[in-house]
Amino acid sequence: MNTTANTILITGGTSGIGLAFAEAFLKEGNKVIITGRREDKLKEIKEKLPQIITKTSDVTDAAQRAELFNWINENHTDTNILINNAGVQFITDLKKGIDTDKLKTEVDTNLIAPIHLASLFIPHLKSKPNAAIINITSGLAFVPIAMMAVYCATKAAMHSLTLSLRYQLKDTDIKVFAIAPPAVDTELGHDRREDKTQSHGGIPVNEFIAGAMAAIKNDEYDAAIGMAAGLRAKRETLFEQINSGFPG
Ligand SMILES: NC(=O)c1ccc[n+]([C@@H]2O[C@H](COP(=O)([O-])OP(=O)(O)OC[C@H]3O[C@@H](n4cnc5c(N)ncnc54)[C@H](OP(=O)(O)O)[C@@H]3O)[C@@H](O)[C@H]2O)c1
Protein backbone atom coordinates (compact mmCIF):
# COMPACT_ATOMS: atom_id res chain seq x y z
CA MET A 1 0.00 0.00 0.00
CA ASN A 2 0.97 3.60 -0.40
CA THR A 3 2.91 4.77 2.67
CA THR A 4 2.89 8.49 1.88
CA ALA A 5 0.22 11.19 2.23
CA ASN A 6 -1.84 9.26 4.78
CA THR A 7 -3.20 10.35 8.14
CA ILE A 8 -2.21 7.70 10.63
CA LEU A 9 -3.40 7.14 14.20
CA ILE A 10 -0.92 5.11 16.27
CA THR A 11 -1.99 3.98 19.74
CA GLY A 12 0.92 3.84 22.19
CA GLY A 13 3.29 6.18 20.41
CA THR A 14 5.23 7.42 23.44
CA SER A 15 8.05 4.86 23.16
CA GLY A 16 9.41 1.83 21.33
CA ILE A 17 7.74 0.51 18.21
CA GLY A 18 4.90 3.07 18.17
CA LEU A 19 7.28 6.03 18.36
CA ALA A 20 9.61 4.52 15.75
CA PHE A 21 6.66 3.94 13.39
CA ALA A 22 5.61 7.56 13.96
CA GLU A 23 9.07 8.84 13.04
CA ALA A 24 9.27 6.60 9.97
CA PHE A 25 5.81 7.62 8.73
CA LEU A 26 6.57 11.32 9.31
CA LYS A 27 9.74 10.95 7.22
CA GLU A 28 7.65 9.47 4.40
CA GLY A 29 5.33 12.50 4.32
CA ASN A 30 2.36 11.36 6.38
CA LYS A 31 0.36 13.18 9.05
CA VAL A 32 0.84 11.20 12.28
CA ILE A 33 -1.22 11.19 15.47
CA ILE A 34 0.09 9.33 18.52
CA THR A 35 -1.58 8.46 21.82
CA GLY A 36 -0.41 7.30 25.23
CA ARG A 37 -1.05 7.71 28.94
CA ARG A 38 2.17 9.62 29.74
CA GLU A 39 1.54 13.32 29.12
CA ASP A 40 5.16 14.26 29.89
CA LYS A 41 6.38 11.88 27.16
CA LEU A 42 3.86 13.19 24.64
CA LYS A 43 4.98 16.76 25.42
CA GLU A 44 8.66 15.81 25.05
CA ILE A 45 7.99 14.14 21.66
CA LYS A 46 5.95 17.14 20.45
CA GLU A 47 8.90 19.41 21.29
CA LYS A 48 11.24 17.19 19.26
CA LEU A 49 8.80 16.56 16.40
CA PRO A 50 6.56 19.68 16.19
CA GLN A 51 4.60 18.30 13.22
CA ILE A 52 3.35 15.29 15.21
CA ILE A 53 -0.14 15.40 16.75
CA THR A 54 -0.48 14.01 20.26
CA LYS A 55 -3.46 12.93 22.33
CA THR A 56 -3.48 11.69 25.90
CA SER A 57 -5.62 8.59 25.99
CA ASP A 58 -5.78 5.36 27.98
CA VAL A 59 -6.85 2.48 25.74
CA THR A 60 -8.01 0.36 28.69
CA ASP A 61 -10.94 2.74 29.27
CA ALA A 62 -13.91 2.16 26.92
CA ALA A 63 -15.14 5.73 27.37
CA GLN A 64 -11.70 7.10 26.42
CA ARG A 65 -11.63 4.85 23.34
CA ALA A 66 -14.99 6.29 22.23
CA GLU A 67 -13.76 9.81 23.04
CA LEU A 68 -10.60 9.20 20.96
CA PHE A 69 -12.71 8.12 17.99
CA ASN A 70 -15.03 11.15 18.32
CA TRP A 71 -12.02 13.49 18.61
CA ILE A 72 -10.50 12.00 15.44
CA ASN A 73 -13.82 12.20 13.63
CA GLU A 74 -14.17 15.88 14.51
CA ASN A 75 -10.57 17.09 14.27
CA HIS A 76 -8.70 14.70 11.95
CA THR A 77 -11.43 13.36 9.74
CA ASP A 78 -8.85 12.53 7.04
CA THR A 79 -7.50 9.68 9.24
CA ASN A 80 -7.27 6.63 6.98
CA ILE A 81 -4.96 4.27 8.90
CA LEU A 82 -5.36 2.90 12.42
CA ILE A 83 -2.34 1.19 13.97
CA ASN A 84 -3.31 -0.80 17.06
CA ASN A 85 0.08 -0.80 18.74
CA ALA A 86 -0.34 -0.02 22.47
CA GLY A 87 0.60 -3.05 24.53
CA VAL A 88 1.80 -4.23 27.92
CA GLN A 89 3.55 -7.44 28.92
CA PHE A 90 3.41 -8.96 32.40
CA ILE A 91 4.71 -12.16 33.96
CA THR A 92 1.83 -14.44 34.98
CA ASP A 93 2.41 -17.42 37.28
CA LEU A 94 -0.93 -19.21 37.32
CA LYS A 95 0.29 -21.39 40.22
CA LYS A 96 0.56 -18.37 42.50
CA GLY A 97 -2.92 -16.91 42.13
CA ILE A 98 -3.86 -14.11 39.80
CA ASP A 99 -3.89 -10.37 40.37
CA THR A 100 -7.18 -9.73 38.58
CA ASP A 101 -6.53 -6.01 38.15
CA LYS A 102 -3.27 -6.75 36.33
CA LEU A 103 -4.97 -9.47 34.30
CA LYS A 104 -7.69 -7.04 33.25
CA THR A 105 -5.14 -4.35 32.31
CA GLU A 106 -3.19 -6.76 30.11
CA VAL A 107 -6.25 -8.18 28.35
CA ASP A 108 -7.93 -4.76 27.99
CA THR A 109 -4.78 -3.16 26.54
CA ASN A 110 -3.70 -5.93 24.19
CA LEU A 111 -7.03 -7.40 23.09
CA ILE A 112 -10.22 -5.56 24.07
CA ALA A 113 -8.92 -2.10 23.04
CA PRO A 114 -7.80 -3.03 19.50
CA ILE A 115 -11.06 -4.91 18.89
CA HIS A 116 -13.17 -2.00 20.12
CA LEU A 117 -11.11 0.62 18.25
CA ALA A 118 -11.28 -1.38 15.01
CA SER A 119 -15.07 -1.60 15.26
CA LEU A 120 -15.38 2.10 16.08
CA PHE A 121 -13.18 3.08 13.12
CA ILE A 122 -14.56 0.73 10.42
CA PRO A 123 -17.51 2.95 9.36
CA HIS A 124 -15.12 5.94 9.23
CA LEU A 125 -12.39 4.10 7.30
CA LYS A 126 -14.80 2.65 4.72
CA SER A 127 -15.02 6.00 2.91
CA LYS A 128 -11.29 6.79 3.02
CA PRO A 129 -8.76 6.15 0.25
CA ASN A 130 -5.86 3.77 1.01
CA ALA A 131 -7.48 2.75 4.32
CA ALA A 132 -5.94 0.17 6.65
CA ILE A 133 -6.07 -1.33 10.10
CA ILE A 134 -2.65 -2.54 11.21
CA ASN A 135 -2.55 -4.74 14.30
CA ILE A 136 0.80 -5.21 16.03
CA THR A 137 0.75 -8.78 17.27
CA SER A 138 3.89 -10.79 18.20
CA GLY A 139 5.99 -13.79 17.25
CA LEU A 140 4.77 -15.08 20.63
CA ALA A 141 1.29 -15.35 19.08
CA PHE A 142 2.62 -18.50 17.39
CA VAL A 143 4.76 -20.02 20.18
CA PRO A 144 4.12 -18.84 23.75
CA ILE A 145 6.67 -18.26 26.48
CA ALA A 146 4.72 -19.86 29.33
CA MET A 147 5.84 -17.35 31.98
CA MET A 148 4.10 -14.64 29.90
CA ALA A 149 1.01 -16.80 29.53
CA VAL A 150 -1.61 -14.06 29.35
CA TYR A 151 0.46 -11.77 27.13
CA CYS A 152 1.02 -14.58 24.62
CA ALA A 153 -2.65 -15.56 24.75
CA THR A 154 -3.71 -11.98 23.95
CA LYS A 155 -1.34 -11.91 20.98
CA ALA A 156 -2.55 -15.31 19.70
CA ALA A 157 -6.11 -13.98 20.03
CA MET A 158 -5.17 -10.82 18.12
CA HIS A 159 -3.69 -12.89 15.32
CA SER A 160 -6.93 -14.89 15.07
CA LEU A 161 -9.03 -11.73 15.34
CA THR A 162 -7.08 -10.11 12.52
CA LEU A 163 -7.82 -13.03 10.19
CA SER A 164 -11.54 -12.76 10.99
CA LEU A 165 -11.52 -8.98 10.63
CA ARG A 166 -9.85 -9.25 7.23
CA TYR A 167 -12.51 -11.74 6.14
CA GLN A 168 -15.34 -9.56 7.42
CA LEU A 169 -13.90 -6.58 5.51
CA LYS A 170 -13.20 -8.46 2.29
CA ASP A 171 -15.91 -6.54 0.41
CA THR A 172 -14.49 -3.17 1.50
CA ASP A 173 -11.27 -1.37 0.49
CA ILE A 174 -9.90 -1.47 4.05
CA LYS A 175 -6.68 -3.48 4.18
CA VAL A 176 -6.07 -5.45 7.37
CA PHE A 177 -2.54 -6.29 8.50
CA ALA A 178 -1.11 -8.39 11.32
CA ILE A 179 2.51 -7.41 11.89
CA ALA A 180 4.29 -9.82 14.26
CA PRO A 181 7.51 -8.37 15.70
CA PRO A 182 10.29 -10.56 17.06
CA ALA A 183 11.95 -9.47 20.35
CA VAL A 184 12.66 -5.75 19.83
CA ASP A 185 14.66 -3.60 22.22
CA THR A 186 11.97 -1.24 23.65
CA GLU A 187 10.50 -0.35 27.05
CA LEU A 188 8.26 -3.45 26.94
CA GLY A 189 8.60 -5.31 30.25
CA HIS A 190 10.77 -2.51 31.74
CA ASP A 191 8.61 -2.45 34.86
CA ARG A 192 9.97 -5.82 35.88
CA ARG A 193 13.64 -4.83 35.46
CA GLU A 194 15.45 -3.00 38.24
CA ASP A 195 17.76 -1.30 35.77
CA LYS A 196 15.42 0.44 33.33
CA THR A 197 18.22 0.96 30.83
CA GLN A 198 18.74 -2.81 30.63
CA SER A 199 17.86 -4.26 27.24
CA HIS A 200 15.85 -7.46 26.96
CA GLY A 201 18.07 -8.52 24.11
CA GLY A 202 15.83 -7.77 21.17
CA ILE A 203 16.83 -6.37 17.80
CA PRO A 204 17.19 -2.57 17.45
CA VAL A 205 13.81 -0.95 16.91
CA ASN A 206 14.87 0.63 13.60
CA GLU A 207 15.79 -2.79 12.21
CA PHE A 208 12.27 -3.99 13.03
CA ILE A 209 10.69 -0.86 11.53
CA ALA A 210 12.59 -1.33 8.24
CA GLY A 211 11.14 -4.86 7.92
CA ALA A 212 7.65 -3.78 8.97
CA MET A 213 7.57 -0.79 6.57
CA ALA A 214 8.66 -3.03 3.68
CA ALA A 215 5.87 -5.50 4.56
CA ILE A 216 3.25 -2.73 4.65
CA LYS A 217 4.45 -1.31 1.32
CA ASN A 218 4.33 -4.77 -0.26
CA ASP A 219 0.82 -5.58 1.07
CA GLU A 220 2.17 -8.49 3.09
CA TYR A 221 -0.94 -8.77 5.21
CA ASP A 222 0.46 -11.38 7.61
CA ALA A 223 4.01 -10.25 8.18
CA ALA A 224 6.18 -11.99 10.72
CA ILE A 225 9.41 -9.99 10.98
CA GLY A 226 12.86 -11.48 11.66
CA MET A 227 12.83 -14.32 14.21
CA ALA A 228 9.03 -14.11 14.40
CA ALA A 229 8.89 -15.70 10.93
CA GLY A 230 10.73 -18.73 12.29
CA LEU A 231 8.32 -18.99 15.23
CA ARG A 232 5.36 -18.91 12.88
CA ALA A 233 6.88 -21.60 10.69
CA LYS A 234 7.55 -24.04 13.48
CA ARG A 235 4.93 -23.17 16.13
CA GLU A 236 4.21 -26.00 18.55
CA THR A 237 7.36 -27.96 17.76
CA LEU A 238 9.28 -25.04 19.27
CA PHE A 239 7.17 -24.84 22.45
CA GLU A 240 9.30 -27.29 24.47
CA GLN A 241 12.53 -25.81 23.16
CA ILE A 242 11.67 -22.16 23.90
CA ASN A 243 10.35 -22.92 27.40
CA SER A 244 13.30 -24.99 28.52
CA GLY A 245 15.20 -21.71 29.00
CA PHE A 246 12.57 -20.12 31.29
CA PRO A 247 11.14 -20.98 34.73
CA GLY A 248 7.74 -22.77 34.50
N1 LIG B 1 9.32 -5.11 22.05
C1 LIG B 1 9.08 -6.36 21.71
O1 LIG B 1 9.94 -7.25 21.88
C2 LIG B 1 7.78 -6.74 21.09
C3 LIG B 1 7.65 -7.99 20.49
C4 LIG B 1 6.44 -8.36 19.93
C5 LIG B 1 5.36 -7.48 19.97
N2 LIG B 1 5.50 -6.25 20.56
C6 LIG B 1 4.33 -5.38 20.61
O2 LIG B 1 4.65 -4.10 20.10
C7 LIG B 1 3.75 -3.14 20.65
C8 LIG B 1 4.55 -1.95 21.15
O3 LIG B 1 5.36 -2.35 22.24
P1 LIG B 1 6.85 -1.82 22.47
O4 LIG B 1 7.74 -2.98 22.39
O5 LIG B 1 7.10 -0.66 21.63
O6 LIG B 1 6.79 -1.44 24.03
P2 LIG B 1 6.88 -0.06 24.79
O7 LIG B 1 8.12 0.66 24.44
O8 LIG B 1 6.64 -0.39 26.23
O9 LIG B 1 5.64 0.77 24.22
C9 LIG B 1 4.33 0.47 24.58
C10 LIG B 1 3.44 1.64 24.21
O10 LIG B 1 2.08 1.31 24.58
C11 LIG B 1 1.56 2.39 25.30
N3 LIG B 1 0.52 1.94 26.23
C12 LIG B 1 0.61 0.97 27.15
N4 LIG B 1 -0.54 0.90 27.84
C13 LIG B 1 -1.35 1.85 27.33
C14 LIG B 1 -2.66 2.28 27.62
N5 LIG B 1 -3.39 1.73 28.60
N6 LIG B 1 -3.20 3.28 26.89
C15 LIG B 1 -2.47 3.85 25.90
N7 LIG B 1 -1.24 3.50 25.58
C16 LIG B 1 -0.69 2.51 26.30
C17 LIG B 1 2.73 3.03 26.01
O11 LIG B 1 2.44 4.39 26.28
P3 LIG B 1 2.15 4.99 27.75
O12 LIG B 1 2.99 4.23 28.72
O13 LIG B 1 2.55 6.44 27.61
O14 LIG B 1 0.69 4.82 27.95
C18 LIG B 1 3.81 2.92 24.94
O15 LIG B 1 3.73 4.01 24.07
C19 LIG B 1 2.98 -3.86 21.76
O16 LIG B 1 1.71 -4.24 21.28
C20 LIG B 1 3.83 -5.10 22.01
O17 LIG B 1 3.08 -6.17 22.53
C21 LIG B 1 6.69 -5.87 21.11
Side-chain angles (χ1 to χ4, degrees):
M1 68 180 293
N2 189 352
T3 57
T4 57
N6 301 289
T7 298
I8 305 172
L9 171 66
I10 306 174
T11 65
T14 53
S15 60
I17 288 172
L19 179 55
F21 261 133
E23 289 171 333
F25 278 118
L26 280 175
K27 266 193 201 129
E28 298 209 6
N30 298 280
K31 177 173 150 188
V32 177
I33 304 155
I34 58 166
T35 74
R37 295 161 299 177
R38 289 173 290 174
E39 280 185 43
D40 55 333
K41 275 274 177 188
L42 289 170
K43 199 165 162 264
E44 204 179 285
I45 293 164
K46 179 85 187 159
E47 276 161 18
K48 205 177 123 206
L49 303 167
Q51 68 277 44
I52 209 164
I53 295 155
T54 62
K55 168 85 175 150
T56 310
S57 174
D58 183 339
V59 295
T60 62
D61 181 343
Q64 289 192 45
R65 295 192 293 262
E67 199 269 326
L68 174 64
F69 171 69
N70 291 334
W71 177 81
I72 289 281
N73 212 12
E74 278 164 28
N75 298 287
H76 302 287
T77 189
D78 52 344
T79 300
N80 65 324
I81 298 179
L82 165 66
I83 305 188
N84 277 315
N85 168 75
V88 290
Q89 182 188 75
F90 303 139
I91 302 294
T92 309
D93 187 344
L94 294 156
K95 306 188 296 296
K96 286 192 179 153
I98 287 284
D99 174 340
T100 51
D101 287 341
K102 237 176 150 182
L103 174 66
K104 189 170 176 336
T105 298
E106 196 167 28
V107 176
D108 281 350
T109 312
N110 297 356
L111 182 59
I112 306 289
I115 297 172
H116 186 200
L117 285 170
S119 83
L120 285 169
F121 273 83
I122 285 166
H124 172 93
L125 294 176
K126 267 185 182 169
S127 63
K128 305 294 171 204
N130 201 42
I133 297 173
I134 301 175
N135 292 328
I136 306 304
T137 61
S138 172
L140 301 179
F142 309 117
V143 185
I145 294 176
M147 66 186 272
M148 300 167 193
V150 174
Y151 174 81
C152 298
T154 62
K155 293 297 179 178
M158 272 312 294
H159 179 72
S160 166
L161 189 281
T162 309
L163 300 184
S164 298
L165 180 62
R166 189 178 303 136
Y167 195 84
Q168 289 191 10
L169 293 180
K170 68 182 188 320
D171 297 328
T172 75
D173 291 331
I174 306 172
K175 294 178 171 179
V176 181
F177 292 82
I179 307 281
V184 182
D185 190 13
T186 66
E187 291 182 13
L188 197 71
H190 260 193
D191 46 344
R192 61 175 181 267
R193 278 189 284 280
E194 272 177 38
D195 175 1
K196 303 293 179 216
T197 60
Q198 191 190 344
S199 156
H200 64 43
I203 62 170
V205 70
N206 287 333
E207 189 179 327
F208 163 73
I209 291 295
M213 291 295 278
I216 293 167
K217 279 179 206 203
N218 294 330
D219 283 342
E220 232 185 278
Y221 297 119
D222 282 309
I225 310 297
M227 296 268 287
L231 294 180
R232 183 173 66 187
K234 295 185 184 162
R235 299 196 184 198
E236 284 79 5
T237 53
L238 278 173
F239 182 77
E240 286 301 328
Q241 195 183 322
I242 197 170
N243 280 291
S244 63
F246 293 94

